[in-house]
Amino acid sequence: QLQLVESGGGLVQPGGSLRLSCAASGFTLDYYAIGWFRQAPGKEREGVSCISSNDGSTYYTDSVKGRFTISRDNAKNTVYLQMNSLKPEDTAVYYCAATQEDYGLVVDQYDYDYWGQGTQVTVSS
């Protein structure tokens, strides 16, 4: 069974850091593009970042550029989202998603086939 499991969420003060992990089971991530998305209360789900399967190309939405870093460790079958300088507006449930893609970035959430259950990130003093 193909499964993605996020972890690493929690409560952090403004300016703090968290590292989210997205672990895959039932398949290997080598040929999958991975995306991180988030959904805040009362808002639509939005794309945060994504990484290609082959050359490590990355994309970040403007609001997180310079603060978040996406990376992948195919040996561990895991993708990470390092989040620094967190702001209250980063509060949301964060989801990772995967879609089979030999190369290139996949930015549109509707192009993703597999989703994790989400992890809550709360930024508050």
Side-chain angles (χ1 to χ4, degrees):
Q1 183 178 358
L2 280 65
Q3 191 174 14
L4 295 171
V5 178
E6 302 96 336
S7 61
L11 174 63
V12 63
Q13 292 186 342
S17 298
L18 286 174
R19 188 177 79 156
L20 305 184
S21 298
C22 173
S25 61
F27 67 111
T28 58
L29 291 178
D30 296 45
Y31 300 104
Y32 285 78
I34 307 297
W36 283 98
F37 300 85
R38 66 186 180 186
Q39 187 166 22
K43 295 187 177 181
E44 294 186 354
R45 189 168 60 192
E46 64 170 350
V48 175
S49 180
C50 60
I51 187 167
S52 66
S53 63
N54 62 325
D55 64 359
S57 298
T58 58
Y59 161 86
Y60 300 94
T61 193
D62 286 345
S63 62
V64 308
K65 283 181 181 177
R67 301 189 297 122
F68 290 12
T69 303
I70 189 172
S71 62
R72 62 192 301 155
D73 186 339
N74 286 349
K76 294 184 178 180
N77 221 27
T78 301
V79 174
Y80 304 98
L81 185 68
Q82 178 67 44
M83 306 187 297
N84 299 328
S85 302
L86 283 161
K87 304 175 180 179
E89 51 262 45
D90 294 318
T91 295
V93 178
Y94 283 71
Y95 301 89
C96 67
T99 188
Q100 194 163 7
E101 180 63 50
D102 290 339
Y103 56 91
L105 292 167
V106 181
V107 178
D108 192 333
Q109 60 180 295
Y110 297 105
D111 290 330
Y112 282 86
D113 299 312
Y114 306 105
W115 290 81
Q117 83 290 348
T119 186
Q120 176 70 46
V121 171
T122 302
V123 185
S124 175
S125 55

